[in-house]
């Protein structure tokens, strides 16, 4: 008997305040959501007039963090981005209490480089919320870009 695939659901909301612009998306853990989260992120960043080179770096980071959440997390996943005071912060919460760790992949390994890419592309990264949330921050050019 084959198992029916779980429904793929994404619910997004946009945020705007005196502190900046942002969005959040909650979705079921499914590999097809990685591409969708990249598209949602790129669309918002372009609307906020984030420089294209930074958009590309953030989209790679989102792809890696969401993929980690899907592969290692438990339950629904949340992606959140907030652009404020020249900093763009991305958070992925996956419900898994073990914090993400930077590892060294071997030359022949097919995976294990995601957090290394995030660390190289972002200004800073880390984990919070008892290990359930992995975040990264990108510095933006001076002035408001949203």
């Amino acid at each position: 008997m084959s198992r029916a695939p779980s429904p793929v659901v994404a619910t997004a909301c946009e945020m705007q305040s005196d502190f900046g612009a942002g969005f959040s998306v909650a979705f079921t853990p499914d590999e097809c959501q990685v591409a969708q989260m990249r598209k949602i992120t790129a669309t918002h960043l372009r609307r906020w007039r984030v420089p294209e080179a930074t958009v590309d770096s953030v989209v790679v980071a989102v792809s890696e963090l969401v993929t980690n959440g899907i592969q290692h997390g438990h339950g629904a996943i949340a992606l959140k981005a907030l652009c404020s005071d020249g900093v763009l912060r991305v958070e992925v919460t996956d419900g898994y209490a073990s914090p993400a760790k930077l590892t060294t992949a071997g030359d022949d390994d097919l995976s294990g480089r995601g957090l290394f890419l995030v660390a190289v592309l972002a200004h800073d990264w880390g984990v919070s919320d008892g290990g359930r949330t992995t975040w990264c921050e990108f510095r933006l050019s001076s002035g408001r870009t949203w």
Side-chain angles (χ1 to χ4, degrees):
M1 175 194 291
S2 66
R3 191 172 164 207
S6 62
V8 177
V9 178
T11 304
C13 89
E14 188 162 345
M15 304 172 287
Q16 183 71 44
S17 72
D18 292 340
F19 302 106
F23 72 89
S24 64
V25 185
F27 55 96
T28 57
D30 190 296
E31 291 292 330
C32 72
Q33 291 290 22
V34 177
Q36 185 66 22
M37 296 308 114
R38 286 193 303 257
K39 289 177 189 174
I40 289 170
T41 300
T43 299
H44 279 87
L45 299 183
R46 289 182 180 118
R47 286 181 57 210
W48 301 339
R49 295 185 176 91
V50 171
E52 197 62 32
T54 304
V55 171
D56 293 343
S57 294
V58 173
V59 168
V60 170
V62 164
S63 183
E64 297 302 331
L65 295 179
V66 168
T67 297
N68 282 353
I70 290 168
Q71 291 178 348
H72 306 292
H74 296 290
I77 298 174
L79 164 64
K80 183 166 74 170
L82 180 61
C83 189
S84 177
D85 294 329
V87 175
L88 174 65
R89 182 178 176 101
V90 173
E91 299 178 353
V92 174
T93 303
D94 60 26
Y96 186 55
S98 182
K101 294 179 185 172
L102 193 60
T103 60
T104 303
D107 291 342
D108 295 330
D109 291 340
L110 298 177
S111 63
R113 294 172 184 84
L115 285 178
F116 176 76
L117 284 172
V118 172
V120 168
L121 295 171
H123 171 72
D124 197 11
W125 78 277
V127 295
S128 59
D129 190 27
R132 290 178 173 81
T133 299
T134 305
W135 57 267
C136 59
E137 293 182 340
F138 295 83
R139 286 190 177 162
L140 303 175
S141 57
S142 61
R144 286 182 81 159
T145 58
W146 56 91

